[in-house]
Amino acid sequence: KQEVTQIPAALSVPEGENLVLNCSFTDSAIYNLQWFRQDPGKGLTSLLLIQSSQREQTSGRLNASLDKSSGRSTLYIAASQPGDSATYLCAVGDRGSTLGRLYFGRGTQLTVWP
Amino acid sequence: GAGVSQSPRYKVAKRGQDVALRCDPISGHVSLFWYQQALGQGPEFLTYFQNEAQLDKSGLPSDRFFAERPEGSVSTLKIQRTQQEDSAVYLCASSLLNTGGNQPQHFGDGTRLSIL
């Protein structure tokens, strides 16, 4: 069974810092990897989707990389802002499972203070 | 609306009662997923529909859980004889048909279920 781990579990930084969130997965046979943001009491917002054939994706201040062979992904947040405070979840679509089914990590809770 | 809509947003029930949770996916989205998120955890897969067909229900924790999507749009997750361990946030997600892992899933805000 696919296992997804996220490090660190929580992170508190001052505004303006560049951040790296880490995600690892146990089975490299994946369709894709997605990074989500979850605000308290809310659902998940898709930030970036990397297909298995891709190495990275970028959106604004966010950049996600994928190293499928080593089972790792990183989410890089540039010039962090208080509005970035949320829980960030990593999820993989596993080739051994129903197409579209996602396996999630427990998330990294990010706090950016002014 | 443009997003996935779930109702009710909050549901409190006594142990042993039956509950029904509703999901309205984004119009035109063929794929629909239900996930269960316990406090402090990531979402866990429950079941998957492609149109009206339930193609994977391997994540349903017991036969007290039942899901349907009779016309290929709105879906209902039903939990019979609720127990305290059913307390969680239930999330619904939809996407266009995923032919190669290139379709992101769009999530609703969830239903927070509390069993007393």
Side-chain angles (χ1 to χ4, degrees):
Chain A
K1 178 190 170 187
Q2 182 74 259
E3 301 281 347
V4 181
T5 303
Q6 291 187 246
I7 296 173
L11 188 60
S12 181
V13 300
E15 182 176 8
E17 281 208 359
N18 300 323
L19 310 172
V20 176
L21 307 183
N22 297 292
C23 172
S24 62
F25 47 95
T26 54
D27 190 338
S28 61
I30 65 171
Y31 286 108
N32 59 29
L33 183 144
Q34 274 188 260
W35 283 93
F36 292 90
R37 168 187 174 136
Q38 186 171 33
D39 293 283
K42 295 290 188 180
L44 281 63
T45 301
S46 180
L47 299 173
L48 292 164
L49 180 150
I50 311 175
Q51 294 185 65
S52 61
S53 59
Q54 298 174 323
R55 297 283 295 185
E56 66 176 347
Q57 282 287 337
T58 298
S59 176
R61 295 183 294 109
L62 305 180
N63 175 275
S65 66
L66 173 64
D67 185 340
K68 200 172 59 168
S69 61
S70 69
R72 296 178 187 275
S73 175
T74 59
L75 178 66
Y76 177 81
I77 304 176
S80 58
Q81 303 171 358
D84 294 332
S85 297
T87 297
Y88 290 80
L89 292 158
C90 168
V92 299
D94 188 285
R95 286 192 180 275
S97 301
T98 295
L99 182 56
R101 171 178 178 168
L102 295 175
Y103 292 83
F104 284 85
R106 295 176 67 171
T108 293
Q109 187 173 2
L110 174 65
T111 303
V112 182
W113 39 276
Chain B
V4 177
S5 177
Q6 291 188 246
S7 61
R9 288 281 286 122
Y10 303 93
K11 176 70 178 176
V12 179
K14 292 183 179 179
R15 186 163 55 97
Q17 289 183 331
D18 298 347
V19 298
L21 313 179
R22 176 186 170 105
C23 173
D24 279 272
I26 294 172
S27 178
H29 277 192
V30 168
S31 298
L32 186 146
F33 301 82
W34 283 98
Y35 292 85
Q36 180 190 60
Q37 187 175 25
L39 190 63
Q41 305 291 319
E44 294 272 347
F45 171 83
L46 293 176
T47 188
Y48 165 64
F49 289 87
Q50 182 175 311
N51 294 306
E52 69 278 3
Q54 189 175 20
L55 299 185
D56 186 346
K57 55 182 181 179
S58 63
L60 296 175
S62 77
D63 58 7
R64 296 186 296 105
F65 287 71
F66 172 77
E68 61 183 3
R69 193 185 185 196
E71 297 179 357
S73 55
V74 171
S75 177
T76 303
L77 176 66
K78 298 179 179 178
I79 309 174
Q80 298 177 323
R81 305 181 304 282
T82 53
Q83 300 178 5
Q84 285 192 320
E85 61 261 32
D86 299 335
S87 296
V89 176
Y90 291 84
L91 295 166
C92 176
S94 70
S95 75
L96 295 170
L97 186 61
N98 227 325
T99 57
N102 61 343
Q103 297 297 334
Q105 291 186 22
H106 302 267
F107 281 78
D109 284 344
T111 293
R112 183 175 297 274
L113 177 63
S114 298
I115 305 300
L116 305 179

